[in-house]
Amino acid sequence: MYRKILLATDGSECSMQAAGYAIETAAQNRAELLALTVTETYPLITFLWRNSQGR
């Protein structure tokens, strides 16, 4: 039924529960499971990166 499943996760308890369902569904359907997480950058890191780039 499914060939590819995209799992977006933020590390929360709810997303970890969703990951379990996604893994189970992918296994049952022999589907490819792709996981995606996005993290927030912090001002200090941005500042250090910009300075290292000569900006």
Side-chain angles (χ1 to χ4, degrees), residues 7-50:
L7 170 66
T9 180
D10 62 1
S12 67
E13 186 176 327
C14 288
S15 70
M16 292 296 107
Q17 185 175 9
Y21 290 122
I23 292 167
E24 186 177 321
T25 302
Q28 291 172 351
N29 291 276
R30 295 184 179 187
E32 180 179 359
L33 178 61
L34 305 169
L36 169 71
T37 187
V38 178
T39 58
E40 208 175 319
T41 58
Y42 294 94
L44 178 60
I45 295 169
T46 303
F47 173 78
L48 293 174
W49 180 80
R50 285 184 179 167

